[in-house]
Amino acid sequence: MKIIDLRSDTVTLPTPAMRKAMYEAELGDDVMGEDPTVNRLEALAAEKVGKEAALYVPSGTMGNLVCILSHCQRGDEVILGDQAHTFIFEVGAASVLGGLQVHTVPNEPNGMLVPQNVIDAIRGENVHFPPTALVCLENTHNKCGGWALTLEQMDSVCLPVKERGIPVHLDGARIFNAAVALEVDVKELTRNVDSVMFCLSKGLCAPVGSMVAGSEEFIRRARKNRKMVGGGMRQAGVLAAAGIVALTEMVDRLVDDHSNARVLADGLEGMEGLRREQHGVRTNMVFFTLVTDRMTPPEFRSALEEEGVKVGYYGKGVFRAVTHHGIEQEDIHLALGAFRRVMQERA
Ligand code: TLP
């Protein structure tokens, strides 16, 4: 039985082209700046997102941390959404390792921050206040259904924040999903942020790694902070080679993941005992809630697993299914059959 693993697009495996590129990669010591493959990946990534420079980091979590550390000093405050990955899923790193205070404002269901709420959260001059040093956005927004924010939506927050002299960081773990869904060049979405982190290891299928990008001066600081948190990786070109394939060959196919997610969402619609979450499907994520008392969430999850389908659990009965490379439309139909059997026979 094929396991249809919809827990996350992080489960994707490197493609044959990636494995070949990894095998053949030219290597050097990247901490000394001498790994030609890492240097090539960094130049390519910077060019793709329209920034002066980029830096290869081991993970999205480290990428966000390195950017936050590079924008802020201990004692500063960072404004971000209360559903932000950085706030919920990054082990409190900004506070623990950066000595920063996080100031959350509520995310709208589509992942947006209400611009006025962000402006109101910026601290004024007062001896009692920590200085506001950074605002973070997320696109696509993971906890808000994988929704893609348009340039206009992002600008409605970015521009007034930047007018006040405060930089904006974008957690763009899945920014290529957003660009593909909105049919815009990714540069459009990154144009007005000061730094962006994006992942090579999710829908783009590289085994490891994320990129951060910004001005040359910012990336110099980020490189030092990456070293500080242990992210200097020596002959990292063996991994970066897969990242180059990710950026050159794996972006356009994300459209298939998005259409598979819609097929899945349509199939789940109206299934007794399940309620699709309202935010709709824009990219590769489908959220739904178990609304029957005949089965607990863990029972539902293991019944699905027995049928060969894995989904992610977000608590309070809410589940997430993520489509990705290796999941074909026929797998979605098989998965829907499994959902139906679990809901009809066991619920
Ligand atoms: N998200 C993972 C889990 O951590 C929840 C997933 O399965 O979706 N920003 C965003 C928006 C993310 O979704 C993730 C990973 C990260 C940052 C962190 O990236 P990694 O896992 O590379 O540290």
Side-chain angles (χ1 to χ4, degrees):
M1 177 167 66
K2 177 177 176 184
I3 302 296
I4 301 170
D5 191 344
L6 303 173
R7 286 173 300 168
S8 182
D9 47 10
T10 59
V11 304
T12 46
L13 297 173
T15 63
M18 286 179 183
R19 290 183 190 265
K20 181 165 182 292
M22 292 169 80
Y23 182 72
E24 291 170 356
E26 257 188 283
L27 305 176
D29 188 325
D30 178 50
V31 174
M32 299 182 188
E34 291 171 5
D35 187 301
T37 310
V38 172
N39 292 343
R40 228 162 21 100
L41 172 63
E42 291 180 344
L44 176 66
E47 192 270 314
K48 290 270 177 205
V49 295
K51 298 289 173 205
E52 283 173 11
L55 181 73
Y56 186 46
V57 289
S59 68
T61 301
M62 190 187 284
N64 281 332
L65 174 64
V66 159
C67 287
I68 290 171
L69 293 175
S70 306
H71 284 295
C72 305
Q73 302 292 320
R74 294 181 76 78
D76 284 345
E77 192 166 71
V78 179
I79 297 173
L80 76 183
D82 65 350
Q83 300 301 308
H85 191 279
T86 302
F87 179 55
I88 298 181
F89 293 119
E90 295 175 16
V91 209
S95 304
V96 180
L97 304 173
L100 299 162
Q101 174 159 287
V102 290
H103 184 158
T104 59
V105 293
N107 275 111
E108 296 289 284
N110 65 358
M112 262 298 277
L113 302 177
V114 175
Q116 194 57 48
N117 290 345
V118 176
I119 293 161
D120 291 346
I122 294 172
R123 304 286 188 164
E125 268 305 306
N126 185 312
V127 71
H128 302 88
F129 293 165
T132 302
L134 183 66
V135 171
C136 298
L137 294 176
E138 184 174 322
N139 197 12
T140 64
H141 201 291
N142 185 343
K143 269 211 95 194
C144 297
W147 200 252
L149 301 179
T150 62
L151 174 67
E152 291 70 32
Q153 286 175 312
M154 288 179 58
D155 275 357
S156 68
V157 178
C158 279
L159 300 182
V161 165
K162 285 166 60 110
E163 261 167 36
R164 288 161 174 79
I166 295 165
V168 177
H169 169 67
L170 174 63
D171 176 348
R174 297 181 180 84
I175 195 66
F176 286 94
N177 292 81
V180 165
L182 298 166
E183 299 181 3
V184 295
D185 191 303
V186 72
K187 283 189 197 76
E188 287 289 303
L189 301 176
T190 52
R191 188 165 68 199
N192 290 330
V193 298
D194 298 273
S195 61
V196 54
M197 181 287 290
F198 63 89
C199 296
L200 302 166
S201 60
K202 299 193 165 63
L204 302 184
C205 298
V208 176
S210 293
M211 305 304 302
V212 305
S215 69
E216 265 172 24
E217 199 269 322
F218 176 80
I219 292 299
R220 254 194 305 280
R221 273 183 281 144
R223 192 175 291 283
K224 193 146 181 126
N225 284 320
R226 180 188 71 174
K227 189 76 189 92
M228 183 175 75
V229 295
M233 292 193 292
R234 307 297 175 186
Q235 285 73 32
V238 74
L239 299 168
I244 293 172
V245 178
L247 281 180
T248 49
E249 291 182 15
M250 303 304 286
V251 172
D252 292 344
R253 62 153 304 286
L254 292 173
V255 76
D256 299 336
D257 298 342
H258 300 173
S259 59
N260 285 340
R262 271 190 299 276
V263 172
L264 180 66
D266 291 345
L268 292 176
E269 197 72 65
M271 218 179 261
E272 211 195 314
L274 294 181
R275 187 187 68 226
R276 270 266 323 283
E277 284 308 309
Q278 286 132 16
H279 21 49
V281 174
R282 194 73 195 247
T283 59
N284 64 336
M285 295 183 182
V286 181
F287 281 76
F288 55 93
T289 306
L290 185 71
V291 287
T292 172
D293 49 14
R294 285 184 279 167
M295 218 177 357
T296 64
E299 282 165 355
F300 168 72
R301 205 174 177 200
S302 46
L304 259 187
E305 279 202 33
E306 280 169 32
E307 297 278 349
V309 177
K310 293 186 180 187
V311 292
Y313 185 45
Y314 270 58
K316 297 189 180 151
V318 178
F319 291 86
R320 183 186 73 164
V322 186
T323 54
H324 51 79
H325 185 247
I327 301 290
E328 310 301 333
Q329 195 160 124
E330 130 195 358
D331 298 319
I332 299 295
H333 292 298
L334 290 173
L336 283 169
F339 274 101
R340 248 176 251 118
R341 283 192 295 282
V342 169
M343 297 319 291
Q344 281 164 9
E345 291 164 19
R346 312 191 193 207

